[in-house]
């Protein structure tokens, strides 16, 4: 098994974890947590877990010289600002609309690479973006939950999309000088630090957080932050940003299947069709070799 195949498996697993994180986040928020406090705890716990491992492996916590400005930018984009926009958007927009907007990340990553990085893509990549969006549309179109959409909510989610594209690109650059452990540990620490002011505005009653809330927060910290980000930053470097971005459309599929298996929710056959389209799109794009040198 070559390195790219391993990266595809790893990033698929990551996006399943992140898809299930919607269920965990919803549960944590329903058991005492507030949005920004939850995000802060997630990355603060991740930092506490990662730094001792980094110290043991490298003998020092000091990152390579000159990378901290870019490390801070990546943390702001992929953690602080991303969650500010995502949570703010979800409060003002239906989950279905949010999923569709987030599903535009591969398209924006492709456009960024083409316009600013000089990357060239085969026609199958453009077709993959369109078909993957169609698959996500079918998945979320037949979800039972509905909400009220606002222009402000959609604009905030678009901001989240742009932040994630920037996160992928900056992380790809960082991986040329740092290990995945260094990147994940420092991004978590800087993410927690910059999320702290937002968490303070929540004015959270910590005594109101239930045991279930804490267990869900630990799931988000250990699996969705420590494990997932370690695997993700390495996979981005192996796959190239656009191909890594396309896997994010596994999120809504994992969330729907998780709802069926864990919460007893119903599954519409059209959602299965949409999931199959997403999987086929990812397979075809990766088989067709995404980026060509510009």
């Amino acid at each position: 098994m070559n390195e790219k195949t391993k990266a595809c498996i790893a990033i698929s697993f990551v996006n399943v974890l992140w898809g299930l994180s919607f269920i965990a986040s919803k549960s944590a928020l329903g058991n005492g947590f507030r949005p920004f406090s939850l995000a802060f705890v997630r990355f603060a716990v991740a930092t506490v877990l990662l730094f001792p491992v980094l110290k043991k492996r490298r003998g020092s916590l000091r990152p390579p010289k000159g990378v901290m400005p870019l490390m801070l930018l990546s943390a702001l984009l992929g953690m602080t600002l991303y969650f500010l926009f995502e949570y703010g958007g979800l409060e003002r927009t239906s989950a279905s609309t949010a999923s569709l907007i987030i599903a535009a990340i591969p398209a924006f990553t492709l456009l960024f690479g083409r316009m600013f990085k000089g990357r060239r893509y085969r026609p199958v990549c453009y077709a993959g973006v369109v078909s993957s969006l169609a698959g996500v549309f079918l998945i979320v179109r037949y979800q039972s939950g509905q909400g009220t959409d606002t222009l402000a909510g959609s604009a905030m989610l678009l901001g989240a999309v742009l932040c994630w594209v920037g996160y992928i690109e900056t992380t790809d650059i960082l991986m040329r000088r740092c290990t995945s452990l260094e990147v994940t540990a420092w991004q978590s620490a800087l993410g927690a630090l910059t999320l702290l002011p937002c968490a303070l505005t929540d004015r959270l009653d910590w005594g109101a957080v239930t045991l279930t809330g804490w267990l869900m927060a630990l799931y988000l910290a250990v699996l969705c932050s420590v494990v997932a980000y370690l695997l993700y930053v390495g996979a981005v470097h192996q796959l190239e940003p656009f191909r890594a971005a396309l896997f994010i459309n596994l999120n809504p599929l994992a969330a729907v299947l998780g709802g069926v298996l864990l919460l007893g929710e119903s599954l519409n056959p059209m959602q299965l069709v949409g999931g199959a389209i997403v999987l086929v799109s990812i397979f075809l794009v990766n088989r067709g070799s995404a980026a060509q040198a510009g």
Side-chain angles (χ1 to χ4, degrees):
M1 185 182 297
N2 61 38
E3 292 302 315
K4 290 192 182 298
T5 301
K6 292 179 182 178
C8 287
I9 294 172
I11 206 167
S12 296
F13 176 64
V14 165
N15 281 284
V16 169
L17 291 178
W18 284 346
L20 295 177
S21 76
F22 287 103
I23 297 173
S25 295
K26 183 176 180 179
S27 177
L29 293 171
N31 282 276
F33 271 107
R34 297 287 298 156
F36 300 133
S37 299
L38 179 61
F40 166 74
V41 167
R42 171 177 175 170
F43 291 109
V45 171
T47 302
V48 170
L49 295 175
L50 287 166
F51 265 44
V53 179
L54 180 60
K55 174 70 173 178
K56 183 176 181 179
R57 288 194 180 181
R58 295 193 69 249
S60 172
L61 296 178
R62 183 175 298 177
K65 187 177 180 180
V67 303
M68 284 306 291
L70 190 60
M71 196 78 80
L72 176 59
L73 177 61
S74 68
L76 284 170
L77 291 171
M79 295 165 187
T80 313
L81 292 176
Y82 178 82
F83 281 104
L84 284 173
F85 283 131
E86 184 184 72
Y87 284 146
L90 284 171
E91 287 180 342
R92 299 167 175 84
T93 304
S94 68
S96 296
T97 298
S99 297
L100 283 174
I101 294 174
I102 295 298
I105 285 176
F108 278 91
T109 305
L110 183 148
L111 290 174
F112 182 91
R114 186 71 185 91
M115 294 173 64
F116 299 105
K117 294 288 187 176
R119 300 186 185 121
R120 295 181 181 177
Y121 299 92
R122 293 181 177 178
V124 68
C125 298
Y126 296 94
V129 168
V130 174
S131 59
S132 185
L133 278 170
V136 172
F137 173 77
L138 289 177
I139 293 170
V140 304
R141 167 65 177 80
Y142 292 94
Q143 284 180 327
S144 57
Q146 298 295 326
T148 302
D149 294 339
T150 66
L151 181 60
S154 296
M156 294 186 79
L157 286 163
L158 180 58
V161 168
L162 297 176
C163 284
W164 195 256
V165 173
Y167 168 76
I168 293 173
E169 294 289 346
T170 53
T171 296
D172 185 44
I173 297 171
L174 284 169
M175 283 299 295
R176 299 169 194 172
R177 297 189 57 191
C178 308
T179 65
S180 59
L181 177 59
E182 287 174 318
V183 172
T184 306
W186 276 104
Q187 284 179 340
S188 296
L190 294 169
L193 182 63
T194 52
L195 278 164
L196 180 57
C198 303
L200 293 175
T201 65
D202 277 344
R203 301 183 182 276
L204 179 68
D205 178 6
W206 294 96
V209 180
T210 67
L211 176 60
T212 298
W214 283 111
L215 289 175
M216 293 301 101
L218 284 175
Y219 168 80
L220 293 169
V222 176
L223 291 178
C224 297
S225 294
V226 175
V227 174
Y229 274 85
L230 276 172
L231 293 174
Y232 191 81
V233 297
V236 166
H237 187 59
Q238 285 290 332
L239 293 177
E240 188 269 330
F242 165 65
R243 282 198 284 177
L246 193 62
F247 281 85
I248 206 164
N249 286 345
L250 290 175
N251 275 218
L253 175 60
V256 167
L257 294 178
V260 172
L261 296 175
L262 301 176
L263 304 178
E265 295 178 352
S266 60
L267 179 67
N268 189 291
M270 293 305 295
Q271 291 178 306
L272 290 176
V273 174
I277 292 173
V278 170
L279 293 173
V280 170
S281 300
I282 292 172
F283 173 78
L284 290 177
V285 167
N286 281 278
R287 188 175 179 83
S289 296
Q292 304 286 308

